């Protein structure tokens, strides 16, 4: 069996591309220097894959910013406003990626969206009615030639026509279907060109095929490929799918003249069933995605061999493949100096996954694979029990019943009790939690971590910051205060570090978008809370004021979604373990006099399954109860808030209401307030604070514009349910814009109160 991968990370094992790009943006290096860094990184990646013995090495998986954006450029689909700036080719590209503000003009970037169920974000191509799709770029051909020059005939990778059209935005009256013919023609031309250049394979990525498809979707897909494949000549075309199974179009895929089909056996719940029951055409090569491209655990060779064994009977040639691009895992374990070998042996990052593919290739070629030393080492590892098991946590989770997920008394009872207790004015004002994180704050944290200042010095510094922050909020006139979150580097990492069962890496960065990378912590064992995590700071903050100060926690679903999860227990079980730990913290906060507790679920929406039919059973059925478990133990007079960083929850509005929080704040200012109609139509019960201004921009919103936004909200939301707050936390903002923005917010609320007396 041959081996292949779908794509390799491109930011550099030490984030070299990020740093070079940022220098280029600041004018510190030339475009040629940036291109040189990129060339070097591509060469290193090529060498690593070649040395690992990968047979089908991808090219064009490199990008200066994003693959969807690259495809838009390739196909002449970049809106004219970017070309009109008259910048160089590279700068035009970056203008579309990041926006441009300078002497040549002022244009916003393309929209950015989450790439399926990952934490990667892609740039959304924009079509207007006169967008003229045709092949104008040369990047895939250039990178193919570059790799060939370096001694490797690669498999060029391009986002497929269907996915490209499905993920684009159509600004005019025309829709995807209206661009199908020209798009197909452009792809056909790409195929003929690669055929002429003697490429063996081309990989067309079509992850959209794992989503729900209706008849018109299928028609679009089939129509596109009937045309495209007509031009392939001797070139072999691989239809690559990932992030799920292709149940809706499997038969169509089998009928079309693809030479290879890539299927995901890791996340595709029905992939094996499809291949076994419906059969797989013997004249096509099956690229079997058996090595998980999204998570960092070692492959279980026994399980993989079992899958391979089953499909071998049904298929012709099989190629061993990753389940998706390795873009979603960190580079290599070699950069992790602090993790012990006992831990590291359980992990495989991108480079180590190449090694796994090579081992699997070797093992499967043997008559008795189970005799191979690589196989034996792997099964010994898999049967080893990791040290992280915690019997008390396990039995606590097992003992949970419905009543642990049910807060009493019910919402309307609590609402009365709380209105009386807090006696807040109409339209109470608050913030989402963090206040500007200055360089001085970051330095104090890192000095403390390094041992450069004592715990006492650190505590004193933090307490002073909190005291100032409370004073500032009182002066501004906010009603419900926060402590400012100065002690936190990141809303997940902070809790991960306080909880037992988590592991942290040093260099395991994963690209989130463009030059931004994240370093998700790893859920290693059973999660438990060794000691209170936030009580000290919240209690101190509350001691500085008569006004209520919100306790501030991150919720279990968000903590889990922004980590690398375990694979030996279910996500549900991990979420419940984390929920119990956060629940203990909630109860401790309450016992220490904190009357309002906010549990952020910023990432709850993110991991909603790609297929609607899986939403409940695979996700919401445990995610919502996990959240409820966190707060079901508090007294009726304790108020529970939650916060979400987006407003695209129209589809799951009743589930959000069922989280049974007393109040929810969310982003609304950038999303034209359509969510408000949905709230109204569904009689949303929870009190709501749709963000009245965008904290991602340094702009100061005027009092009048905040009032206008609030009036719109009041058209749909009963006045006694409306909170007034910014979009999200203020940690990325400066004090200079934060103070006047909040003053305007408070004054807008006050004036509205007077009008509504
Ligand atoms: N409480 C957090 C903060 O204010 C919430 C951050 C977030 O939603 N991403 O920073
Ligand atoms: Zn947020």
């Amino acid at each position: 069996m041959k081996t292949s991968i779908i794509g390799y990370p491109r930011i550099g094992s030490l984030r070299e591309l990020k740093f070079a790009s940022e220098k280029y943006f600041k004018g510190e290096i030339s475009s040629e220097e940036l291109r040189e860094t990129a060339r070097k990184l591509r060469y290193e990646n090529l060498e690593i894959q070649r040395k690992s013995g990968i047979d089908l090495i991808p090219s064009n998986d490199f990008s200066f910013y994003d693959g969807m954006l690259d495809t838009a450029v390739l196909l002449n689909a970049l809106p004219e406003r970017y070309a009109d700036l008259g910048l160089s080719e590279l700068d035009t590209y970056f203008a579309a990626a990041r926006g441009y503000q300078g002497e040549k003009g002022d244009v916003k970037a393309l929209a950015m969206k989450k790439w399926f169920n990952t934490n990667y974000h892609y740039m959304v191509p924009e079509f207007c009615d006169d967008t003229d799709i045709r092949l104008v770029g040369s990047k895939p051909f250039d990178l193919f030639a570059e790799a060939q020059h370096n001694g490797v005939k690669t498999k060029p990778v391009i986002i497929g026509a269907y996915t490209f059209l499905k993920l684009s935005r159509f600004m005019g009256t025309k829709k995807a279907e209206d661009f199908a013919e020209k798009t197909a023609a452009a792809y056909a031309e790409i195929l003929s060109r690669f055929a002429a250049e003697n490429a063996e394979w081309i990989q067309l990525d079509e992850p959209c095929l794992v989503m729900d498809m209706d008849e018109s979707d299928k028609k679009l897909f089939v129509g596109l490929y009937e045309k495209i494949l007509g031009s392939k000549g001797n070139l072999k075309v691989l239809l690559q799918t990932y992030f799920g199974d292709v149940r809706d179009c499997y038969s169509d895929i089998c009928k079309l003249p693809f030479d290879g089909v890539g299927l995901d056996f890791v996340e595709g719940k029905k992939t094996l069933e499809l291949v076994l029951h419906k059969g797989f055409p013997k004249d096509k090569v099956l690229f079997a995605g058996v090595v998980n491209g999204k998570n960092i655990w070692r492959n279980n060779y026994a399980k993989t061999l079992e899958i391979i064994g089953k499909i071998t009977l049904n298929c012709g040639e099989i190629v061993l493949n990753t389940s998706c691009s390795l873009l979603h895992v960190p580079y290599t374990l070699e950069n992790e100096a602090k993790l012990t070998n006992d831990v590291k042996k359980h992990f495989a990052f991108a480079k180590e996954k190449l090694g796994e593919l090579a081992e699997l290739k070797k093992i499967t070629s043997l008559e008795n694979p189970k005799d191979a030393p690589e196989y034996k080492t792997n099964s010994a590892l898999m049967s080893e029990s990791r040290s992280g098991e915690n019997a008390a946590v396990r039995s606590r989770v097992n003992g949970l019943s419905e009543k642990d997920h049910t807060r009493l008394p019910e919402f309307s009872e609590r609402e009365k009790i709380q209105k009386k207790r807090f006696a807040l004015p109409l339209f109470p004002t608050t913030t989402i939690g963090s206040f500007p994180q200055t360089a001085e704050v970051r330095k104090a944290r890192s000095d403390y971590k390094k041992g450069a200042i004592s715990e006492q010095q650190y505590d004193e510094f933090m307490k002073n910051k909190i005291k100032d922050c409370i004073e500032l909020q009182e002066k501004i006139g906010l009603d419900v205060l926060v402590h400012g979150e100065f002690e936190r580097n990141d809303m997940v990492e902070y809790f991960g570090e306080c909880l037992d069962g988590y592991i942290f890496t040093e260099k395991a960065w994963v690209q989130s978008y463009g030059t931004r990378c994240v370093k998700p912590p790893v859920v290693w064992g059973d999660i438990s809370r060794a000691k209170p995590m936030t009580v000290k700071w919240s209690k101190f903050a509350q001691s500085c004021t008569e006004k209520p100060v919100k306790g501030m926690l991150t919720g279990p679903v968000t903590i889990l979604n922004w980590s690398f999860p375990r694979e030996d227990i279910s996500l549900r079980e991990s979420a419940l373990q984390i929920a119990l730990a956060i629940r203990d913290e909630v109860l401790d906060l309450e016992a220490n006099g904190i009357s309002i507790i906010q549990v952020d679920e910023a990432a709850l929406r993110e991991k909603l399954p790609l297929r609607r039919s899986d939403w409940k059973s695979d996700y919401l059925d445990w995610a919502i109860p996990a959240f409820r478990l966190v707060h079901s133990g508090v007294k009726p007079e304790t108020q529970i808030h939650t916060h979400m960083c987006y407003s695209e929850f129209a589809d799951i509005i009743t589930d959000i209401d069922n989280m049974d929080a007393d109040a929810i704040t969310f982003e609304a200012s950038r999303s034209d307030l359509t969510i408000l109609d949905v709230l109204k139509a569904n009689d949303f019960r929870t009190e709501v604070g749709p963000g009245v201004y965008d904290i991602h921009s340094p702009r100061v919103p005027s009092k009048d514009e905040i009032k206008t936004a609030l009036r719109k909200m009041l058209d749909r939301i009963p006045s006694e349910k409306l909170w007034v707050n910014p979009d999200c936390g203020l940690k990325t903002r400066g004090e200079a814009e934060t103070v006047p923005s909040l003053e305007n917010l408070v004054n807008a609320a006050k004036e509205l109160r007077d009008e509504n007396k």
Side-chain angles (χ1 to χ4, degrees):
M1 273 175 221
K2 286 193 175 158
T3 53
S4 175
I5 66 165
I6 295 176
Y8 205 68
R10 57 205 179 203
I11 201 86
S13 79
L14 297 170
R15 292 181 291 162
E16 293 87 342
L17 185 63
K18 167 197 172 71
F19 298 120
S21 304
E22 285 170 353
K23 277 192 190 147
Y24 176 69
F25 299 154
K26 283 191 227 140
E28 291 169 12
I29 61 169
S30 69
S31 62
E32 196 31 53
E33 284 169 292
L34 174 60
R35 287 185 194 278
E36 183 52 33
T37 302
R39 261 194 299 273
K40 252 178 66 195
L41 291 171
R42 288 195 296 265
Y43 182 72
E44 277 168 25
N45 284 356
L46 191 72
E47 279 299 289
I48 287 171
Q49 293 175 62
R50 200 176 55 75
K51 286 192 188 132
S52 305
I54 297 296
D55 297 303
L56 294 162
I57 298 176
S59 61
N60 198 43
D61 52 345
F62 172 83
S63 176
F64 275 113
Y65 207 89
D66 167 57
M68 277 293 280
L69 178 58
D70 293 354
T71 314
V73 171
L74 180 71
L75 300 179
N76 199 34
L78 213 54
E80 263 163 34
R81 61 178 183 271
Y82 301 113
D84 290 348
L85 293 167
L87 302 166
S88 71
E89 198 185 324
L90 186 63
D91 288 348
T92 307
Y93 174 87
F94 282 133
R98 314 170 58 235
Y100 176 91
Q101 207 165 26
E103 40 188 54
K104 307 229 168 156
D106 184 355
V107 287
K108 282 198 198 149
L110 290 172
M112 197 164 68
K113 250 184 149 173
K114 281 217 173 265
W115 181 242
F116 299 86
N117 51 5
T118 72
N119 197 10
Y120 178 76
H121 302 68
Y122 68 95
M123 306 305 305
V124 185
E126 254 174 47
F127 282 59
C128 50
D129 285 349
D130 57 5
T131 298
D132 176 25
I133 295 293
R134 59 201 165 82
L135 178 62
V136 293
S138 64
K139 176 177 163 259
F141 311 108
D142 299 342
L143 297 191
F144 176 76
E146 178 190 85
Q148 196 155 27
H149 176 78
N150 290 325
V152 180
K153 185 184 268 196
T154 50
K155 168 192 65 170
V157 175
I158 297 176
I159 289 171
Y162 177 73
T163 297
F164 179 65
L165 287 176
K166 285 302 283 186
L167 296 185
S168 292
R169 280 166 87 189
F170 297 89
M171 317 304 279
T173 55
K174 288 192 189 167
K175 296 277 162 269
E177 288 71 16
D178 303 309
F179 293 93
E181 203 171 313
K182 287 204 140 193
T183 305
Y187 276 84
E189 196 181 334
I190 296 174
L191 263 52
S192 350
R193 261 190 76 177
F194 273 118
E197 309 215 354
N198 268 326
E200 186 191 353
W201 282 97
I202 183 170
Q203 171 185 317
L204 299 173
D205 282 4
E206 290 287 12
C208 269
L209 298 179
V210 310
M211 318 248 325
D212 292 319
M213 289 173 81
D214 60 22
E215 286 309 314
S216 68
D217 291 328
K218 284 199 270 186
K219 204 173 136 206
L220 176 63
F221 165 63
V222 173
L224 282 166
Y225 279 96
E226 275 172 352
K227 291 195 196 90
I228 295 172
L229 293 171
S231 308
K232 71 190 177 80
N234 287 331
L235 180 69
K236 291 191 236 170
V237 178
L238 163 61
L239 175 79
Q240 183 63 57
T241 68
Y242 43 83
F243 301 144
D245 64 66
V246 291
R247 64 188 84 153
D248 293 337
C249 62
Y250 186 75
S251 320
D252 299 307
I253 290 177
C254 290
K255 272 185 237 146
L256 284 161
F258 293 109
D259 302 274
V261 177
L263 300 177
D264 177 352
F265 286 85
V266 174
E267 277 193 280
K269 285 201 295 187
K270 298 215 170 183
T271 302
L272 189 60
E273 188 186 313
L274 287 169
V275 173
L276 296 185
H277 294 159
K278 298 209 169 178
F280 187 82
K282 289 258 182 335
D283 60 342
K284 295 190 197 318
V285 183
L286 174 60
F287 284 65
V290 287
V291 170
N292 192 338
K294 256 193 195 169
N295 210 344
I296 43 93
W297 303 96
R298 282 233 162 250
N299 188 266
N300 184 328
Y301 290 173
K303 280 196 186 153
T304 300
L305 289 188
E306 199 187 313
I307 296 172
I308 302 287
K310 284 184 184 157
I311 57 178
T312 311
L313 304 171
N314 260 30
C315 306
E317 188 182 342
I318 295 174
V319 172
L320 296 163
N321 201 9
T322 52
S323 66
C324 62
S325 168
L326 296 174
L327 179 70
H328 309 293
V329 288
Y331 264 79
T332 174
L333 277 165
E334 287 161 14
N335 292 335
E336 299 303 322
K338 290 198 182 141
L339 296 178
T340 64
N341 284 333
D342 270 348
V343 168
K344 280 202 272 194
K345 68 183 181 191
H346 290 278
F347 295 160
F349 296 174
K351 187 173 174 191
E352 292 75 26
K353 284 177 195 282
L354 302 177
E356 293 189 325
L357 284 165
E359 288 192 357
L360 284 165
K361 173 177 171 168
K362 183 188 156 194
I363 295 171
T364 48
S365 72
L366 300 173
E367 201 150 323
N368 294 311
K370 298 194 171 165
D371 293 340
E374 293 85 353
Y375 181 88
K376 287 185 180 154
T377 312
N378 185 267
S379 33
L381 182 71
M382 292 298 144
S383 60
E384 209 174 274
S385 81
R386 295 211 312 265
S387 53
E389 184 153 337
N390 181 328
V393 172
R394 295 273 172 118
S395 84
R396 234 182 128 187
V397 169
N398 287 336
L400 290 172
S401 67
E402 191 47 42
K403 70 172 196 330
D404 298 300
H405 302 281
T406 312
R407 185 173 172 200
L408 291 172
E410 58 110 32
F411 181 87
S412 54
E413 277 301 296
R414 293 179 337 240
E415 197 176 26
K416 276 183 237 145
I417 298 170
Q418 291 168 18
K419 287 264 185 245
K420 212 163 134 204
R421 172 180 190 181
F422 295 106
L424 292 168
L426 198 60
F427 317 131
T429 53
T430 190
T431 62
I432 307 305
S434 57
F435 264 68
Q437 292 235 340
T438 53
E440 166 209 40
V441 170
R442 281 193 291 268
K443 183 170 181 318
R445 272 201 316 261
S446 91
D447 281 353
Y448 175 54
K449 236 181 174 171
K450 283 191 291 210
I453 56 171
S454 70
E455 178 163 355
Q456 200 193 340
Q457 284 170 308
Y458 177 72
D459 275 22
E460 210 160 292
F461 174 88
M462 283 299 159
K463 286 185 172 165
N464 276 326
K465 286 300 297 181
I466 292 173
K467 205 164 131 265
D468 292 348
C469 184
I470 297 281
E471 266 169 29
L472 175 68
Q473 294 172 77
E474 288 197 315
K475 199 166 135 239
I476 293 172
L478 288 154
D479 300 305
V480 172
L481 314 190
V482 296
H483 76 286
E485 298 182 29
F486 303 109
E487 76 285 8
R488 300 182 194 176
N489 36 0
D490 170 278
M491 65 188 288
V492 169
E493 200 174 31
Y494 179 79
F495 289 94
E497 280 174 353
C498 294
L499 292 167
D500 283 345
Y502 260 99
I503 276 188
F504 293 86
T505 56
E506 281 173 89
K507 302 273 159 59
W509 296 97
V510 177
Q511 191 175 18
S512 171
Y513 62 85
T515 55
R516 195 176 145 75
C517 300
V518 294
K519 195 158 61 69
V522 180
V523 187
W524 170 260
D526 292 335
I527 301 290
S528 63
R529 189 191 70 142
K531 54 179 193 308
M533 306 181 280
T534 64
V535 174
K536 173 165 82 177
W537 307 124
S538 285
K539 202 174 155 184
F540 175 77
Q542 186 62 80
S543 76
C544 300
T545 177
E546 296 293 311
K547 290 188 170 174
V549 180
K550 290 192 275 191
M552 199 57 67
L553 304 172
T554 303
V557 185
T558 297
I559 292 183
L560 185 62
N561 284 353
W562 282 346
S563 306
F564 285 116
R566 289 168 71 171
E567 288 175 353
D568 58 334
I569 63 172
S570 65
L571 291 175
R572 171 184 173 274
E573 181 141 11
S574 273
L576 291 175
Q577 291 182 356
I578 300 170
L580 283 170
I582 303 294
R583 174 187 173 95
D584 293 347
E585 186 74 12
V586 165
L587 293 174
D588 267 347
L589 284 169
E590 184 184 54
N592 279 279
I594 305 302
S595 55
I596 304 183
I597 300 165
Q598 178 173 312
V599 183
D600 291 331
E601 282 293 14
L604 187 129
R605 165 76 217 249
E606 191 170 303
K607 288 273 151 70
L608 196 64
L610 298 177
R611 288 181 187 276
R612 196 176 252 262
S613 54
D614 296 336
W615 282 5
K616 277 214 172 307
S617 57
D618 287 4
Y619 188 66
L620 295 170
D621 278 353
W622 57 261
I624 305 298
F627 182 85
R628 296 169 64 116
L629 177 59
V630 165
H631 69 89
S632 65
V634 299
K635 299 188 188 113
E637 62 267 32
T638 298
Q639 192 165 75
I640 299 294
H641 288 215
T642 188
H643 165 73
M644 288 178 188
C645 286
Y646 46 79
S647 57
E648 289 163 15
F649 46 67
D651 291 337
I652 51 168
I653 194 80
T654 47
D655 302 280
I656 303 286
D657 224 6
N658 279 339
M659 291 165 76
D660 203 21
D662 298 305
I664 176 170
T665 57
F666 54 87
E667 180 236 286
S669 59
R670 281 179 304 173
S671 55
D672 63 23
L673 302 176
T674 46
I675 185 67
L676 301 178
D677 296 322
V678 180
L679 297 178
K680 182 170 183 190
N682 286 277
D683 270 330
F684 200 69
R685 183 183 65 165
T686 316
E687 294 187 6
V688 284
V692 295
Y693 76 88
D694 177 12
I695 61 90
H696 303 88
S697 154
R699 212 177 140 257
V700 176
S702 71
K703 180 190 69 190
D704 287 335
E705 94 189 55
I706 296 177
K707 268 173 80 179
T708 310
L710 286 170
R711 286 206 185 94
K712 280 195 195 143
M713 294 175 191
L714 277 174
D715 285 345
R716 280 96 155 180
I717 296 169
S719 54
E720 69 282 3
K721 283 202 190 282
L722 184 65
W723 286 72
V724 180
N725 46 264
D727 247 350
C728 192
L730 301 163
K731 68 169 167 246
T732 53
R733 291 272 59 86
E735 297 225 344
E737 66 263 19
T738 298
V739 176
S741 299
L742 291 177
E743 281 168 352
N744 291 347
L745 178 148
V746 166
N747 288 330
K750 280 187 181 154
E751 291 190 12
L752 214 64
R753 262 169 222 161
D754 293 340
E755 288 168 24
N756 279 268
K757 255 185 195 146

